[in-house]
């Protein structure tokens, strides 16, 4: 058995701001240089990626991407300074929290199988009577 966690950020009113999927999108955009290429890399349509990005930007109150028009090198996108900081802080929080939760999970469930076996033995003895 293993622990699975998922963290996302919400506004004070409960509106979604950022989660693992949007984080993956931002990282893919940073790596590939455009929203279109980033969306394709993680299996999202451009439209879904655009909608997800706009929703996050509206909730956060700042742009996540700097868009560059086409030209000799073509267009593209880069993460804003605020987006880069948000990605770094979110990643750090998630990694540290997951490590702490995994350690706590290990402590709480360390003897679980032994306890489950004991309970099964008690039930088996009752059924034999």
């Amino acid at each position: 058995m293993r622990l699975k966690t998922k963290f996302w950020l919400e506004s004070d009113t409960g509106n979604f701001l950022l989660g693992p999927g949007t984080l993956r999108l931002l990282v893919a955009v940073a790596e590939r240089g455009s929203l279109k290429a980033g969306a394709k890399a993680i299996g999202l349509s451009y439209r879904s990626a655009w909608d997800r990005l706009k929703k996050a930007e509206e909730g956060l109150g700042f742009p996540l991407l700097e868009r560059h028009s086409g030209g000799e090198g073509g267009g593209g996108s880069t993460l804003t300074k605020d987006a880069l900081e948000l990605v770094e802080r979110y990643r750090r929080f998630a990694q540290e929290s997951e490590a702490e939760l995994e350690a706590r999970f290990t402590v709480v469930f360390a003897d679980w199988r032994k306890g489950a076996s004991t309970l099964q033995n008690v039930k088996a003895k009752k059924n034999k009577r």
Side-chain angles (χ1 to χ4, degrees), residues 21-81:
T22 305
L23 178 75
R24 280 194 343 266
L25 175 61
L26 291 172
V27 170
V29 170
E31 290 172 348
R32 291 177 173 73
S34 76
L35 181 59
K36 183 178 179 180
K40 184 177 180 181
I42 65 167
L44 279 180
S45 70
Y46 178 80
R47 173 72 180 183
S48 293
W50 179 257
D51 288 344
R52 185 177 290 203
L53 182 70
K54 292 309 294 175
K55 184 177 180 182
E57 287 180 336
E58 288 169 8
L60 290 164
F62 58 85
L64 296 170
L65 297 183
E66 291 179 10
R67 293 152 182 97
H68 311 284
S69 299
E72 279 186 38
S77 297
T78 55
L79 271 60
T80 63
K81 182 180 174 186

Side-chain angles (χ1 to χ4, degrees), residues 8-126:
W8 63 90
L9 305 178
E10 292 182 349
S11 68
D12 292 337
T13 58
N15 293 323
F16 176 84
L17 299 175
L18 180 72
T22 305
L23 178 75
R24 280 194 343 266
L25 175 61
L26 291 172
V27 170
V29 170
E31 290 172 348
R32 291 177 173 73
S34 76
L35 181 59
K36 183 178 179 180
K40 184 177 180 181
I42 65 167
L44 279 180
S45 70
Y46 178 80
R47 173 72 180 183
S48 293
W50 179 257
D51 288 344
R52 185 177 290 203
L53 182 70
K54 292 309 294 175
K55 184 177 180 182
E57 287 180 336
E58 288 169 8
L60 290 164
F62 58 85
L64 296 170
L65 297 183
E66 291 179 10
R67 293 152 182 97
H68 311 284
S69 299
E72 279 186 38
S77 297
T78 55
L79 271 60
T80 63
K81 182 180 174 186
D82 286 334
L84 289 169
E85 184 176 350
L86 178 64
V87 165
E88 176 55 35
R89 287 175 183 261
Y90 180 93
R91 279 179 152 173
R92 188 173 66 227
F93 171 80
Q95 288 172 349
E96 291 173 7
S97 297
E98 287 170 357
E100 289 178 29
L101 287 172
E102 186 65 40
R104 185 72 187 132
F105 176 81
T106 301
V107 169
V108 170
F109 282 88
D111 63 348
W112 178 73
R113 293 298 288 166
K114 185 166 71 171
S117 297
T118 303
L119 182 60
Q120 289 172 353
N121 290 338
V122 169
K123 286 181 179 179
K125 286 179 183 178
K126 280 185 176 181

